[in-house]
Amino acid sequence: DQAIRDKATAVLVEVKSERQAVIDAYLPALNLKGDLSNGRTIYMERCSSCHRFDGEGFLLGPDLVTVQNTGKDKLLINILDPNREVAPQFQAYEVETTDGESLIGVIADETANSGTVRAAFGKEDVVPRANIRKMQSQQQSLMPEGLESGLTAQQMADLLEYISTAKVEK
């Protein structure tokens, strides 16, 4: 139905432009000199609950060493618009259990007998298959939009500098 398609397109364009406005607001951060120490502090406060970098933090989303060489512009977009590109292993899932519990996280492991749902700070719940009522992809990243809230362009520059240039222990 064309009317439904038009409405969906309008909503998607609106969502995309909303995040694009945020990206545009932080573009000046790409031209500022970042401070590694302050960037590390921001990483520990805002990113380490879900991302590991240089041995610190938790592996829910990608290890940030894997994105270290992608360039600050790509890092900025991924931070500010986490749903733009989501690798399948990092898609959020909602798992409803037969006892009414609802778990949100990534599927860290699946066996014939159970599914493991991983959430922030490394929390993992192993749910027996017999107890899973529904398991559904949320079609988006577990990383919420808006993590930049309260950060200045300089603080974003500091975070980008830390992630892109910090020497990582091999």
Side-chain angles (χ1 to χ4, degrees):
D1 180 62
Q2 188 60 41
I4 292 172
R5 210 172 291 122
D6 291 344
K7 191 169 187 102
T9 301
V11 168
L12 291 174
V13 168
E14 186 178 313
V15 169
K16 208 169 203 48
S17 67
E18 181 182 307
R19 293 318 297 166
Q20 189 60 50
V22 172
I23 292 167
D24 292 346
Y26 278 94
L27 284 176
L30 297 174
N31 298 316
L32 298 173
K33 176 154 178 46
D35 176 84
L36 280 175
S37 177
N38 192 40
R40 181 184 178 281
T41 299
I42 294 165
Y43 160 77
M44 292 302 293
E45 289 172 355
R46 295 191 183 226
C47 311
S48 67
S49 63
C50 296
H51 293 280
R52 179 166 293 169
F53 187 64
D54 197 19
E56 297 181 299
F58 297 91
L59 273 177
L60 178 60
D63 185 320
L64 295 183
V65 77
T66 65
V67 298
Q68 192 172 33
N69 296 322
T70 61
K72 289 182 182 179
D73 52 344
K74 177 86 167 152
L75 283 173
L76 181 69
I77 290 168
N78 288 341
I79 292 168
L80 299 176
D81 192 359
N83 293 310
R84 187 174 287 199
E85 293 177 16
V86 185
Q89 68 270 29
F90 300 117
Q91 278 198 4
Y93 275 78
E94 180 178 14
V95 176
E96 291 179 18
T97 64
T98 55
D99 62 1
E101 187 176 11
S102 181
L103 304 168
I104 304 262
V106 297
I107 304 302
D109 189 35
E110 280 190 274
T111 68
N113 299 322
S114 67
T116 302
V117 181
R118 182 180 297 147
F121 298 103
K123 181 182 183 301
E124 289 190 351
D125 290 293
V126 178
V127 183
R129 286 222 181 260
N131 293 2
I132 296 174
R133 176 179 294 142
K134 183 168 95 175
M135 184 185 311
Q136 183 172 358
S137 170
Q138 301 300 293
Q139 302 293 315
Q140 62 184 14
S141 172
L142 197 56
M143 183 171 162
E145 293 178 346
L147 286 177
E148 75 283 349
S149 181
L151 288 183
T152 64
Q154 181 61 59
Q155 289 170 315
M156 183 62 74
D158 297 344
L159 178 61
L160 294 171
E161 184 74 13
Y162 177 67
I163 294 170
S164 63
T165 65
K167 299 291 182 236
V168 178
E169 295 292 320
K170 298 290 181 209

